[in-house]
Amino acid sequence: MKDGRVGTGDQQVRNRQLISNSKWNLVAFACALAAQFVTVPFVIQWIGLAEFGRAGLVLAVWAPLMLVGGVLGQSTTREMAAHLGSGQTMEAQRIFDTAMLLCLAACAVGGLAVCLFGPAILAAMVQGGQSQPPLQWAFAVAGIGWVAQQLVLVLQAACAARQDFRQLAQLSAFAASATVVLSLLFTARFASATGYLAGVAASFVATLLAWLWTSRAAVWSRPRQPSLHRPALVRLLQFGKWQTIVQLTGSFGNQIDRYALGVLAPAAIVGQYNAANRLQEAAYMGVMKAGEILFPYFGATANDELARREAFFLTASWVVGTVSVMFLAPMVPLAHSLLTLWIGPETAQGGGQLLQTLVLGGIVGCGSNVFSYYAMGLGQNAPIAWLSLAYALLTVLATIVLMVNFGPYAAGGGLLVASAARVAASMWLTRRLFFQGLRWSTLLVSSLTPMLAGLVVALGLSATRLTEVSSWPLLIAAFAVSALLALLCSLALTLLWPTGREIVGRVFTALQAQRVSA
């Protein structure tokens, strides 16, 4: 790199690396999705929707503390990647040491607090609440898995900083296998919410052991005693202070449906919501996996010339949006059939509507993902934090209003409303903070055309009976056709505009270069 500029050859190398990393991330997502598909139907069959709903509420109380591993993971990725990129291996190791020790300390404090107060909160919240001892056991068991999960997130961050997404995919495959085997074994042996949580916890512990074993050589290049390093601690906390707000508010916003359902609805409806949300989260995480490799990339190219960064931002926004709607849009018309074939008609009878609403919120929400990656890559976390706070407050308010007025099956509506507002705010911030000379028409084409295409396909197919299928082969075929329609619709809408034709041209040029180099 010279004077902030990157040559065409260097850019092609970067593009190939991005495509390769994205492929491995999608492999990791496929493994996680397969694990969910295998385990959830058996779990619901063995313990019932009500117990499955109670287990989901226990996990929802733990969910806000996911910020421990989430924030530290993002901070570790950014700081380690910066030091590794400049050859400062020892500094990168100190960042990792400090992050692991900080994670252990936060887990000790946060875990103790939740174990002490979580059972009482949940018993007061849930309809037909259980006695304290069973809830205390459930929280303790879930807490073991939570601690292991936070440590895994930091280890994954170190791997992502090295851009070793192949190892991430391999260990995701192991984690998926452990989830299937251990979750089913524990649930079959102890057919209750606590038994299911024990299986989930055991799978996280097994995954942590696998990460520790495979990372021993790559992370620790020489034997040493891990210690807390003050400069590394300061750097981690500087990045993480805003991300803590992002993670905490985002978690409350994402969990508000479960909290409200716990108060307003029977546990069986919470179970329907959990099943629907598992599918939506799995699909949404798939598109996040495809795009999250942009985070370290944006950080590495922060010194490139503005025009190059702007062009890549627009292209990445369109690609991530199009891939997102290809994953998500087919789930809206196929929601009822998917839940019926996957779990059974009892779950689909209401769960289908919940899944449709959640997926529509996911389609809209994908419009702001690249903005978040870009801001984090440049270390501009404050606007993301304030935006996340506003998003969470709007989600909570809209969810309560909708569920009080329209009943428990309006769950997910608040997420949809807040997602639309977040996308609008993200586009405004993109122009104000990063690309002040960017035309609104150009930004709208790159960010909104895939979203509109997904909504058109999802709602259009939902109005027909063509997606009411009764077998897995037909469901897979219908999903593939719907995904193809979403792609074609996104291309058609984008090609209507000169800016859109430039974006599509850059995408096809990059794909052609990748194919030639392969």
Side-chain angles (χ1 to χ4, degrees), residues 333-334 337 460-469:
L334 294 169
S337 298
L461 290 178
S462 296
T464 70
R465 300 180 62 88
L466 299 177
T467 53
E468 295 181 6
V469 297

Side-chain angles (χ1 to χ4, degrees), residues 85 120 182 202 213 240 271 367 462 499:
L182 294 174
W213 174 257
S462 296
T499 298

Side-chain angles (χ1 to χ4, degrees), residues 177-187 195 198-200 202-204 206:
S177 301
T179 299
V180 172
V181 174
L182 294 174
S183 295
L184 294 183
L185 281 177
F186 275 84
T187 308
V200 174
S203 67
F204 281 127

Side-chain angles (χ1 to χ4, degrees), residues 310-325 362-372 419-420 422-431 435 438-455 490 493-494 497 499-500 503 506:
E310 179 182 296
F312 185 83
F313 177 90
L314 295 172
T315 305
S317 296
W318 185 85
V319 171
V320 170
T322 300
V323 172
S324 299
V325 300
I363 292 174
V364 174
C366 287
S368 61
N369 286 345
V370 175
F371 162 78
S372 298
S419 295
R422 183 171 187 163
V423 169
S426 296
M427 289 191 295
W428 179 76
L429 287 171
T430 296
R431 290 189 75 251
F435 308 113
L438 184 62
R439 292 176 298 174
W440 270 111
S441 58
T442 302
L443 185 57
L444 291 173
V445 168
S446 67
S447 300
L448 291 191
T449 49
M451 180 200 310
L452 292 175
L455 293 174
S490 180
L493 288 177
T494 306
W497 312 94
T499 298
I503 292 173
R506 288 196 293 267

Side-chain angles (χ1 to χ4, degrees), residues 463-512:
T464 70
R465 300 180 62 88
L466 299 177
T467 53
E468 295 181 6
V469 297
S470 57
S471 68
W472 281 109
L474 288 176
L475 179 69
I476 294 172
F479 193 101
V481 171
S482 302
L484 179 60
L485 286 175
L487 171 62
L488 295 177
C489 188
S490 180
L491 281 170
L493 288 177
T494 306
L495 291 173
L496 291 175
W497 312 94
T499 298
R501 290 191 286 273
E502 292 178 8
I503 292 173
V504 174
R506 288 196 293 267
V507 172
F508 277 95
T509 299
L511 291 176
Q512 181 65 27

